[in-house]
Amino acid sequence: MTTATKTLPGMTAEQEHEHAALLGRIEEQREQVPCVDGPNAGDWVTDEKHTQATAARACRACPLLVPCRAYAIRHAETGGVWGGLLPTQITAQARHYRAALDEDRRP
């Protein structure tokens, strides 16, 4: 994961804002965030399932586990491992999140 702030295609203004905020927090705690630097930084964006699982386990010690996971679920992020979740887990959690929001919005 890189901390360079950029707009990605398809991002809403809200998502851009939350993404920038998360990247700012990552920059502040760079030494403690396993996905940022180091020889295995690419493990978070690989398509290789075993490597993704290893990266997800490394997230457990990350001080940003909760906000990273919340961001990924809220925005159905499927571009790699986020907050200790594999892309398939994020998709499932995002589906439940959206269903709960829809339920809350019903009269």
Side-chain angles (χ1 to χ4, degrees), residues 7-75:
T7 302
L8 299 174
M11 274 189 161
T12 65
E14 176 187 9
Q15 187 176 2
E16 284 182 40
H17 175 74
E18 289 183 32
H19 190 254
L22 181 59
L23 291 177
R25 291 183 71 185
I26 289 170
E27 189 63 39
E28 291 170 3
Q29 299 183 29
R30 183 174 203 86
E31 306 80 39
Q32 301 169 355
V33 180
C35 64
V36 175
D37 289 322
N40 300 324
D43 290 358
W44 277 260
V45 293
T46 184
D47 290 331
E48 211 290 307
K49 303 297 182 206
H50 177 72
T51 304
Q52 286 180 344
T54 300
R57 282 191 299 278
C59 289
R60 293 177 188 163
C62 182
L64 298 177
L65 174 75
V66 172
C68 183
R69 181 177 288 185
Y71 170 85
I73 292 169
R74 206 169 22 256
H75 298 291

